[in-house]
Amino acid sequence: MTDCCSNVECEIEKLQARQSKTLKIVLGINLGMFLVEFVAGLMAASTAVLADSLDMLGDALVYGFSLYVVSRNNAWKSVSAFIKAGVMAVFGVFVFGQALYKLMNPVTPEFEIISLIALAALAANAVCLALLWRHREEDVNMHSVWLCSRNDIIANVAVLFAALGVWLSDSQWPDLIVGLCIALLFLRSASHVYKDAKTSYALREGV
């Protein structure tokens, strides 16, 4: 029995070590891309790129929370998931506010910058998604992380379409619409992660 327990504990430690290594890598990638995208979004006057940069920052915070709780119990993992849902919701509301400002102060974004940054972000997030793929069903903590990475891919493709729309229409509307869609994605993901965390908490407490 002792050997069995030791083997189980050893496997858990190995799993946590693998999760920590992956989270550190994707955390670094997302922090770097946040800085690049945020500056580029300001330079290009792009709501979509700014929204995507906040998505990167939100993911970096998510990965940081996930890294903190990876070796802790399920109660901590549920709390982490609740925090992630809150972060996503706050960023979604912020992007809606920024879009409202752009409606009152219209300016046509620079589609060249949007395209280049969207391609770079897509490549970075594809690497993150590949790294996180094998962890996606391990626990509520890693599942919420994987959801964030999946959403990033969707957002990056949407930003590329925004750049194409700005180029074809010579207006801010495609960029603005994509930015709002990313904001909705924030809010939808926040709701999904919150429900997962609530279910995990209820199962743990036997509610």
Side-chain angles (χ1 to χ4, degrees):
M1 179 65 71
T2 302
D3 290 339
C4 179
C5 290
S6 297
N7 288 336
V8 170
E9 290 172 0
C10 184
E11 288 302 316
I12 291 174
E13 288 178 0
K14 288 180 180 178
L15 174 64
Q16 291 172 348
R18 289 196 300 269
Q19 289 179 347
S20 295
K21 182 179 179 181
T22 299
L23 288 170
K24 287 175 183 176
I25 294 171
V26 296
L27 173 61
I29 291 173
N30 277 265
L31 278 177
M33 284 307 303
F34 158 67
L35 293 172
V36 171
E37 282 198 283
F38 189 77
V39 173
L42 293 176
M43 291 174 59
S46 170
T47 300
V49 173
L50 281 175
D52 201 43
S53 75
L54 287 177
D55 192 20
M56 287 289 191
L57 177 59
D59 287 347
L61 293 173
V62 164
Y63 300 144
F65 288 136
S66 298
L67 188 58
Y68 179 74
V69 303
V70 75
S71 62
R72 288 167 171 78
N73 59 30
N74 288 332
W76 274 101
K77 292 176 181 178
S78 295
V79 170
S80 174
F82 280 123
I83 293 173
K84 294 169 195 175
V87 168
M88 291 177 191
V90 168
F91 285 152
V93 172
F94 177 85
V95 174
F96 271 111
Q98 205 273 339
L100 181 61
Y101 175 82
K102 289 288 293 292
L103 281 173
M104 295 186 294
N105 301 274
V107 58
T108 302
E110 299 289 336
F111 74 87
E112 298 93 344
I113 297 178
I114 301 174
S115 301
L116 289 174
I117 295 301
L119 286 171
L122 181 61
N125 283 318
V127 172
C128 292
L129 187 67
L131 290 170
L132 291 166
W133 181 263
R134 66 174 178 168
H135 299 292
R136 69 190 187 283
E137 300 297 341
E138 289 173 352
D139 54 42
V140 65
N141 183 42
M142 297 305 294
H143 183 66
S144 63
V145 167
W146 177 77
L147 278 176
C148 290
S149 185
R150 185 199 64 181
N151 289 345
D152 287 343
I153 297 292
I154 298 171
N156 296 150
V157 173
V159 174
L160 284 172
F161 278 108
L164 178 63
V166 169
W167 177 59
L168 292 174
S169 66
D170 193 30
S171 77
Q172 70 167 352
W173 282 105
D175 177 77
L176 202 57
I177 291 170
V178 168
L180 289 172
C181 287
I182 293 174
L184 287 173
L185 187 61
F186 274 132
L187 297 176
R188 183 176 181 275
S189 296
S191 174
H192 190 89
V193 171
Y194 175 80
K195 288 177 182 176
D196 279 354
K198 188 175 180 181
T199 299
S200 177
Y201 178 81
L203 289 173
R204 182 177 60 83
E205 295 295 324
V207 178

